[in-house]
Amino acid sequence: MSDPTQTARRKVLVIGAATLAGGALTACGGGGDSGSAATGEPNGAATPPPGSAPADAGSAGGAAAGTKSIVKAADVPVGGGKVLKEEKLVVTQPTAGSFRCFTAVCPHQGCLVSKVADNTINCACHNSEFKATDGSKISGPATKGLAEKKITVSADGSITLA
């Protein structure tokens, strides 16, 4: 027979190890708006899904039933854009009638981009810049561009995610 003291000791060790492992997994889970402990910057959204399809620039037609307009075309200036903080998206209009949509989460450290001017999307955290036409990196510490999101522009000027 086994010693009851040994059995009790094993149970305590197993429970302690499980508790520590659970805490480590929670710490590695990421997400939320708590920011990065190392940088103090916001984490932003989860990484955009791989293979996000390019925007259907300037397409007309109605949105799919049940989809919500993210912005009106009239609110997106030509040569500029609109940062949608809650949606973590940025919609641009590089040329009249041509609309693009990208994640607003900078790939450098997860800050949200701050503005769009002169066909450039700017991240104020560390001065990364991206092209408003395709989201590609122009300059700064970001190592890649902004992930593009597919959108639809309806006849009434509503822009929705496709």
Side-chain angles (χ1 to χ4, degrees), residues 100-159:
R100 300 299 237 204
C101 182
F102 309 95
T103 177
V105 179
C106 180
H108 175 236
Q109 288 191 345
C111 293
L112 290 183
V113 297
S114 54
K115 68 178 181 172
V116 183
D118 300 320
N119 277 321
T120 302
I121 303 167
N122 302 291
C123 179
C125 288
H126 298 102
N127 299 318
S128 287
E129 295 180 327
F130 308 91
K131 290 182 184 177
T133 55
D134 63 6
S136 63
K137 176 191 163 190
I138 297 172
S139 66
T143 57
K144 61 183 180 177
L146 301 173
E148 193 163 3
K149 304 292 183 179
K150 187 174 175 88
I151 56 172
T152 301
V153 182
S154 66
D156 71 355
S158 295
I159 298 176

Side-chain angles (χ1 to χ4, degrees), residues 2-120:
S2 66
D3 178 10
T5 306
Q6 291 284 344
T7 303
R9 186 175 292 141
R10 282 191 192 117
K11 284 182 183 178
V12 169
L13 289 174
V14 168
I15 291 170
T19 302
L20 286 173
L25 289 175
T26 301
C28 292
D33 292 322
S34 60
S36 166
T39 63
E41 293 187 18
N43 288 332
T47 303
S52 296
D56 186 8
S59 68
T67 58
K68 178 184 164 207
S69 172
I70 56 172
V71 68
K72 289 283 190 184
D75 295 335
V76 182
V78 176
K82 182 141 178 102
V83 178
L84 308 171
K85 290 181 181 180
E86 276 193 36
E87 294 85 356
K88 296 183 178 159
L89 297 171
V90 58
V91 177
T92 66
Q93 186 176 189
T95 58
S98 174
F99 296 91
R100 300 299 237 204
C101 182
F102 309 95
T103 177
V105 179
C106 180
H108 175 236
Q109 288 191 345
C111 293
L112 290 183
V113 297
S114 54
K115 68 178 181 172
V116 183
D118 300 320
N119 277 321
T120 302

